[in-house]
Amino acid sequence: MLLTGVDNHRNGLGAMPPLHAENQYGKPGYEGYLNDRVRTLPEVLRDNGYYTCMAGKWHLGAQPGQWPSDRGFANSFALVGGGAGHFADPFALCDAEKPVTFYVEDGKKAGPLPDDFYSTRGYADKMIEYIRHRPAGKPFFGYLAFTAPHDPLQVISGWEDKYAGAYDCGYDSIAARRLEQQKALGLVPSTVAFDDIRGHYPHWETLTPEPRKEQSRKMEIYAAMIEYVDYSIGRVIAELKRNGTYNNTLIVFMSDNGANPKEPSDYPGNTPEGITRAYDNRLENYGKDGSFVSLGKSWAETSNTPCSYYKQTTAEGGIRVPFLISGPGIAAGRTDTENLLHVTDVFPTILDYARAKLPSVHGGKELHPLYGKSMRGMLSGTTQRVRSATEAVCFEMAGCRAVIKGAWKAVSLTPPYG
């Protein structure tokens, strides 16, 4: 939806492969890749004179003809699947992912990764390289899709102990502290009670010492992964400043969903016993090459404070994420907690700033209309509302559904969430 501005049930990703239901196979909107009834953001910008490049996760089509180079990117280095080991061994998260766990570069399968490869650093390096060597005189569009902090929780050497001891107080305490900080910042009403957001997990005081150590260590690694993403974004911004384009560049940052509740054994075909046999998950090896640990429900919901639940659901913890945008004409330091925005709004907003036009027909086929709306009026201060109180936005993911309209939200969750 980010790259097409069109609802996923129309653009080809109505279900995430390999999670199609039997009645979805072969149906329009459920092809498992971006279909020919949409144009991607890089395709439209390329056709309007832009140089386009990307580095990071793709997961929008695994077969030749569906890769980034086929959907508008002049240069690309991409993980085709949904997630993998972050080091030089990009192991698949489960057997179902093995056919799509590989990298492509500029339309060809990439060779072996360097011995010192780490995904976040590698993606930032590629983006800096592409920006540095872009065609002279052309505006550019860069898409940097970090896989971190997606599991497996793995962090680059030298960063593994940056948060040592920071989470020993436990997730209940961290969630309460974060909620009070959010109230102080005006992000949530002062009337929100902590008891209203206590989650769907065993409370910290019920855990014995060893599980507490394991849980604390997971969050330490997760936090270090995120800080390294911040550091890597800073490297890219430094390159924009070095080459003189920073002040004329629109920069958009967001997460793709709420924090991930999965354990390694939750992936299709995996079992706790199989994970124990295949990976070195001793506590002292957490976060290192050869380990496969993940955040789990407890820290996931804490990371989504004050929202309930997490990724894979259409509860607020699954679909509400931070969204940061800066650039020419956008007031610095403004916070908006009132507008109802949707991921598809990014597409028309960028076209609006780039003065680019989306065709209604391509290849003789009528294209699906955009689901998103431009945010430019809100960002420039000429208008306050992107949507009226009577307009709704709708979501569906693996049977979990939601509708938001004005101050109301209706949610339907599937087992094991509902």
Side-chain angles (χ1 to χ4, degrees), residues 94-169:
C94 62
D95 286 347
E97 280 281 314
K98 284 182 178 178
V100 298
T101 303
F102 59 91
Y103 283 87
V104 294
E105 185 165 16
D106 294 342
K108 297 178 182 179
K109 279 194 175 184
L113 298 171
D115 291 342
D116 64 348
F117 182 82
Y118 180 68
S119 67
T120 303
R121 180 175 62 191
Y123 299 154
D125 286 348
K126 282 293 180 183
M127 184 54 58
I128 291 169
E129 173 189 329
Y130 295 151
I131 293 172
R132 189 169 291 173
H133 298 106
R134 72 192 187 282
K138 273 195 171 188
F140 68 92
F141 168 71
Y143 175 49
L144 183 52
F146 292 110
T147 43
H150 195 293
D151 52 345
L153 300 185
Q154 295 178 327
V155 68
I156 195 167
S157 178
W159 287 66
E160 55 271 89
D161 293 324
K162 286 184 72 72
Y163 288 89
Y167 301 99
D168 289 352
C169 58

Side-chain angles (χ1 to χ4, degrees), residues 11 15 19 24 65 76 78 102 163 194 229 285 327 332 336 354 368 373 410:
N11 66 31
L19 304 179
Q24 294 172 339
S76 56
F102 59 91
Y163 288 89
F194 181 62
V229 167
N285 202 54
D336 187 315
H368 288 307
K373 295 192 163 194

Side-chain angles (χ1 to χ4, degrees), residues 385-418:
R385 308 298 302 178
V386 175
R387 287 177 175 82
S388 70
T390 60
E391 292 180 273
V393 295
C394 307
F395 309 82
E396 188 274 335
M397 165 79 179
C400 291
R401 296 167 292 173
V403 179
I404 302 176
K405 183 177 180 181
W408 293 92
K409 180 179 180 182
V411 183
S412 172
L413 302 182
T414 57
Y417 312 109

